[in-house]
Structure formats: structure tokens, C-alpha cells
């Protein structure tokens, strides 16, 4: 899945990563435009993308019929450049699937879930990502900082990717921000409120204690906030952000049927959804419009007609 | 006369199961169930987490002692091993057939280590006890899960002190 990225101001060496769904690119170029500049207008900066160097074969058979369908071993030194957490294209004779690598020991890899096909040592294993480096001068120019009062990204990176003999045009989007709010949640924070979650983690998520579940829920939270015109980069309360995420993670598990003892799946899903939505409404969407007393003298501080982010 | 207890036998069985590596989906290990609830309803609520979750409990009644004196008595119990599996295509494209194959391979593995074929190794883990399979293995079908149920008759001596 693609995400709108937050590029951090005055930090050099940052990259945007594009996964090419069509296969392994041979080359790629990119141009960055401000949101109100056309594709044939003046670019903020341009460059040549770097194609993932992984392009190898399997050392031995993998997938259906093997001792564990999550295991695959690459030909000698093929694993050197493999990045854990990245997806690679495994292909042989028309059979193909994306492999999300979750563990690596030399050339021995573990996929996030069982492979669905049978592969021989002739199968190819390729990276299809293109990385684009953010210009060092541009990222340090404060005039380029994004307006984070809206969730719409201020910049787009236009890629021209040569793949399978054709040129594929696509975009990634990003903001330039002072700092990314991000989150600080681990499964332990959820388990403190939703017991035994670590022990009850789905089998494909045990090796990282559900980190991918959390990351996916974080993407969902950002999208839900964007629906209310809130840019997550503008948030300035880490506790409430993390608590919101905890509730979203719990909702994710409820959506997959997990629930406490003595609660039905439907009942708990309804509860978790309402609890999550009410938390957003109470903390992120609505503020009091009634004048509130301040200090001990009885005077009031009049509030504006509504909060900045209001329904 | 060497004596033992249900708890020691149960712990030994769970220890053996915990250390098993199946020849199918070998990365998905057997995990002893924490026994804070019955394993079957828990598995139905946690289908994605239930694969190879294992429970060992002595169920039913203990038969009157066959041999008795003032210090020890021979008792006969039934240990029930339950292994959980999710329904669906988790174990391959052939769906239920792949699931059936996994259950068979796992049950055979357990039999080879705990049942009569595994006596030589299992007997070394606890004081002498005889583990015999008198009942057929069962595969119980739940709503979202399947339960492989293996029951062993266990004969052993317990202390009366």
C-alpha cells in the first residue's frame, strides 16, 4: 500500500520508495512538483531513481510441498541486499506472488504468510522498488515547508519508470514537515487493555508481536483523521494520538472476530467501533462553545465559535 | 516403588508436545494452552491464533485402584490431548484435504513420542507410567476450528503419604 509521506525538514538523505507492481524496472526518473504546478511546469527538483538491486533465483524448492511454506532460500549471497519488511516478486512459469520478507538469516528468508504456489530453484526473486533521494538543498529550505492545516499533501513526485519495455507514469505524494508525529504504541499497550493479546496473536504475526497490525492500524487512523480534514503531522498531543491508535488496533482485532469471553463477535465489534468513533469525536472534532470561567476571579475567557477542527 | 502424579505426567506430556516440530508448516510450533478457559471456546474466538495450540488434561473419573497398600496405589486415568486447527485454506490450496493431512501428521508425531511407540523416551521424563491408547482418535469439527482429540489411558503408582 502507498502512503502519503512526511519528509522531515533539514534532514538529508531521506528517500521516497516506490514499489513497481508491474515487475522489476530497468530505470526510473522523477520530478517533484508543488501541488499547484502542472506536470509540465517547473519542478522543485528532479533526479534518477535507484532500482532495487535484488535480482536472483532460489537455491532450492519453496512453497507448496515443502516443510514450511513460509521458508525460501536464495541462491548464493542473494540475500545480502534483501530488506526485511519489503515485498519482492517471486515468479516462475507464470506463477507469481509477492513475498513480504519478515525474517532474514543470510540467504534464508521467511515470508509473512505461506507461499501459495510451488517453486523450483529456477524461480526468480526480484526487488521492484525504486528509491528517490530528496534533494539536500530543497529539504533544508524553510520556504518549502508544507501547510499542515489540511491533510492534502503539498508535493507530488512524478515517476517515469521503464518496465517490461514500456514507460509507466505514476505519483507519490508527500509533505515537508518539521517533525512527524508518528506513534509510540506496541502490542503491550493494547494488551494492558485487551488481555492476553500477545499470547493470542495470530500465528503469522507472532514473530514481530503484531508490529504490522499496528502499522496498518496507524495508516487507518491517519486516513480517518484526514476524513475530518486533520493532518496527523499537525497533532501535538502524543498521548491522545497513541490512545486513539490503541482503540483502532482493538477495532482491527474485533473486525477479525477476536473478542473477550462472554461477548459475541458482533457485539464486541459494535462496541469497539463506537468507542473508537466517540474517541475521535470527543478529542479531535468537538470542543466546548460555552464560555468557561478562568482562574479564581469568576471572569471568563470567551471561546471562538468552534474548534479549528470541528464537525 | 516409584510414584508419580497427574501433574507430573501432564507436565511431561506438554513438555514433549511443546518441543515437537511437525514436518508440515514446521514454523508454526505447538504451544501449550494457558488453561485459563476451555480450549475449544477460546479457539473459536481466536481462530487466527489457534493453530497447534495444545491442551493436556486428565478428564473423566479416576478408576478405583487395581493395587493398593498403605503406601502406594496403582491408579488408572485418561489424559486428553486436544490440538486446535483453523478451518479454511490455511494449510494449502487443497483446503480440507491439506488440513486432514496436517492433523494426521501431527497425531502420528505425538503418538510416536507419548504413546506406546514413545515409551522409551517418555518413560524417562516421569516415574514409570504406562501410556496406552484405548480409544480412537477423534477430529471434532467446530464452527471455525477443528480439534484433534487424542485420549490415552495412563496407569501409574501414586503415593498415599
Amino acid at each position: 500500500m502507498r502512503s502519503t509521506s512526511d519528509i522531515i525538514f533539514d534532514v538529508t538523505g531521506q528517500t521516497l520508495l516506490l514499489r513497481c507492481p508491474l515487475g522489476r524496472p530497468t530505470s526510473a526518473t522523477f520530478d517533484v512538483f508543488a501541488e499547484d504546478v502542472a506536470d509540465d511546469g517547473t519542478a522543485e527538483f528532479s533526479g534518477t531513481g535507484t532500482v532495487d538491486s535484488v535480482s536472483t533465483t532460489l537455491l532450492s524448492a519453496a512453497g507448496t510441498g515443502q516443510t514450511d511454506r513460509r521458508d525460501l532460500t536464495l541462491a548464493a549471497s542473494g540475500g545480502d541486499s534483501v530488506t526485511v519488511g519489503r515485498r519482492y516478486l517471486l515468479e516462475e512459469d507464470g506463477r507469481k506472488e509477492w513475498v513480504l520478507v519478515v525474517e532474514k538469516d543470510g540467504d534464508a528468508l521467511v515470508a509473512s504468510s505461506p507461499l501459495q504456489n510451488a517453486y523450483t530453484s529456477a524461480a526468480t526473486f526480484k526487488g521492484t522498488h525504486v528509491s528517490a533521494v530528496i534533494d539536500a538543498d530543497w529539504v533544508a529550505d524553510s520556504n518549502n515547508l508544507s501547510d499542515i492545516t489540511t491533510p492534502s499533501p503539498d508535493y507530488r513526485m512524478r515517476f517515469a519508470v521503464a518496465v517490461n519495455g514500456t514507460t509507466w507514469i505514476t505519483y507519490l505524494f508527500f509533505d515537508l514537515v518539521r517533525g512527524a508525529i508518528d506513534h509510540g504504541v506496541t502490542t503491550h499497550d493494547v494488551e494492558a487493555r485487551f488481555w492476553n493479546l500477545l499470547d493470542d496473536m495470530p500465528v503469522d504475526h507472532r514473530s514481530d508481536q503484531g508490529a504490522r497490525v499496528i502499522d496498518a492500524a496507524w495508516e487507518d487512523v491517519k486516513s480517518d483523521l484526514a476524513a475530518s480534514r486533520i493532518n496527523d503531522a499537525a497533532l501535538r498531543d502524543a498521548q491522545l494520538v497513541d490512545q486513539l491508535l490503541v482503540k483502532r488496533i482493538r477495532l482491527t482485532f474485533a473486525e477479525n472476530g477476536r473478542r473477550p469471553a462472554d461477548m459475541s463477535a458482533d457485539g464486541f465489534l459494535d462496541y469497539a467501533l463506537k468507542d473508537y468513533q466517540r474517541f475521535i469525536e470527543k478529542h479531535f472534532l468537538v470542543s466546548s462553545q460555552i464560555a468557561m470561567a478562568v482562574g479564581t476571579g469568576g471572569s471568563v475567557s470567551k471561546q471562538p465559535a468552534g474548534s479549528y477542527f470541528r464537525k | 516403588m516409584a510414584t508419580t502424579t497427574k501433574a507430573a505426567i501432564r507436565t511431561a506430556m506438554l513438555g514433549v508436545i511443546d518441543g515437537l516440530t511437525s514436518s508440515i508448516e514446521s514454523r508454526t510450533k505447538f504451544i501449550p494452552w494457558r488453561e485459563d478457559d476451555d480450549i475449544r471456546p477460546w479457539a473459536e474466538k481466536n481462530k487466527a491464533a489457534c493453530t497447534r495450540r495444545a491442551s493436556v488434561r486428565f478428564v473423566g473419573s479416576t478408576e478405583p485402584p487395581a493395587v493398593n497398600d498403605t503406601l502406594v496405589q496403582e491408579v488408572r486415568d485418561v489424559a486428553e490431548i486436544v490440538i486446535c486447527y483453523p478451518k479454511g485454506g490455511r494449510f494449502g490450496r487443497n483446503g480440507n484435504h491439506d488440513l486432514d493431512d496436517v492433523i494426521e501428521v501431527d497425531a502420528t508425531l505425538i503418538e510416536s513420542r507419548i504413546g506406546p511407540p514413545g515409551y522409551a523416551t517418555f518413560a524417562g521424563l516421569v516415574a514409570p507410567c504406562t501410556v496406552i491408547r484405548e480409544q480412537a482418535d477423534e477430529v471434532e469439527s467446530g464452527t471455525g476450528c477443528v480439534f484433534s482429540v487424542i485420549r490415552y489411558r495412563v496407569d501409574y503408582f501414586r503415593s498415599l503419604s
Side-chain angles (χ1 to χ4, degrees), chain A residues 76-142:
Chain A
S77 303
D80 288 355
S81 300
V82 169
T83 302
V84 172
R86 192 174 286 189
R87 291 164 211 213
Y88 295 87
L89 186 58
L90 180 61
E91 200 166 10
E92 183 180 18
D93 295 337
R95 302 184 304 281
K96 64 178 179 181
E97 52 193 289
W98 291 97
V99 176
L100 172 58
V101 176
V102 294
E103 294 179 41
K104 178 179 108 168
D105 181 6
D107 297 329
L109 310 179
V110 180
S112 62
S113 58
L115 299 177
Q116 296 301 309
N117 300 306
Y119 298 94
T120 70
S121 58
T124 59
F125 183 89
K126 296 179 179 178
T128 72
H129 284 81
V130 174
S131 60
V133 178
I134 303 297
D135 183 81
D137 293 330
W138 186 88
V139 81
D141 185 346
S142 60

Side-chain angles (χ1 to χ4, degrees), chain A residues 268-280:
Chain A
F268 186 62
L269 176 59
D270 185 57
Y271 167 80
L273 177 60
K274 286 178 178 171
D275 187 51
Y276 173 70
Q277 290 174 333
R278 284 291 292 148
F279 194 85
I280 291 181

Side-chain angles (χ1 to χ4, degrees), chain A residues 16 30-33 45 132-134 155-159 170-174:
Chain A
L16 286 184
F30 66 88
D31 302 283
V32 170
F33 298 100
F45 61 92
V133 178
I134 303 297
Y155 299 100
R156 69 181 180 282
M157 182 175 278
R158 179 184 186 275
F159 283 91
T170 191
Y171 302 94
L172 289 180
F173 299 90
F174 67 96

Side-chain angles (χ1 to χ4, degrees), chain A residues 178-226:
Chain A
R178 293 276 181 185
I181 183 69
D182 224 328
H183 72 82
V185 174
T186 69
T187 305
H188 303 81
D189 301 304
V190 188
E191 188 179 61
R193 298 161 175 84
F194 196 32
W195 299 335
N196 294 323
L197 188 58
L198 281 165
D199 194 38
D200 293 349
M201 192 61 66
V203 292
D204 290 339
H205 294 276
R206 282 184 191 147
S207 63
D208 63 3
Q209 292 188 319
R212 284 182 290 121
V213 177
I214 294 173
D215 289 343
W218 176 233
E219 296 297 325
D220 293 338
V221 164
K222 291 194 288 187
S223 297
D224 291 340
L225 292 173

